[in-house]
Amino acid sequence: MNRKENVMMDFTSRAPISPTEPLARAQVKGWVKAVFWGLRVYIAIMLVLVVIGLVKGSF
């Protein structure tokens, strides 16, 4: 229910949205692929550093 200009409007009576075909995945190429791999490597290194910090900080 939504109020607009002091009038109650009911949006629930619409017909349901029909399903569409699933979208195809975009092909990642070139420098974009390299950037994604760089991010993966960066995240892996950060996780290792966090684990090392937690291990060394607990003793």
Side-chain angles (χ1 to χ4, degrees):
M1 300 294 255
N2 188 9
R3 284 187 179 258
K4 187 173 182 178
E5 299 174 6
N6 297 328
V7 175
M8 294 293 288
M9 299 173 71
D10 185 10
F11 293 113
T12 58
S13 61
R14 294 184 189 172
I17 299 171
S18 62
T20 59
E21 292 184 26
L23 296 174
R25 292 187 72 170
Q27 294 295 322
V28 180
K29 299 177 186 175
W31 66 272
V32 177
K33 195 173 201 175
V35 169
F36 278 122
W37 274 107
L39 285 172
R40 290 177 183 136
V41 171
Y42 173 78
I43 290 170
I45 292 170
M46 289 299 114
L47 287 173
V48 169
L49 291 176
V50 167
V51 169
I52 290 171
L54 289 173
V55 168
K56 288 194 177 249
S58 64
F59 295 114

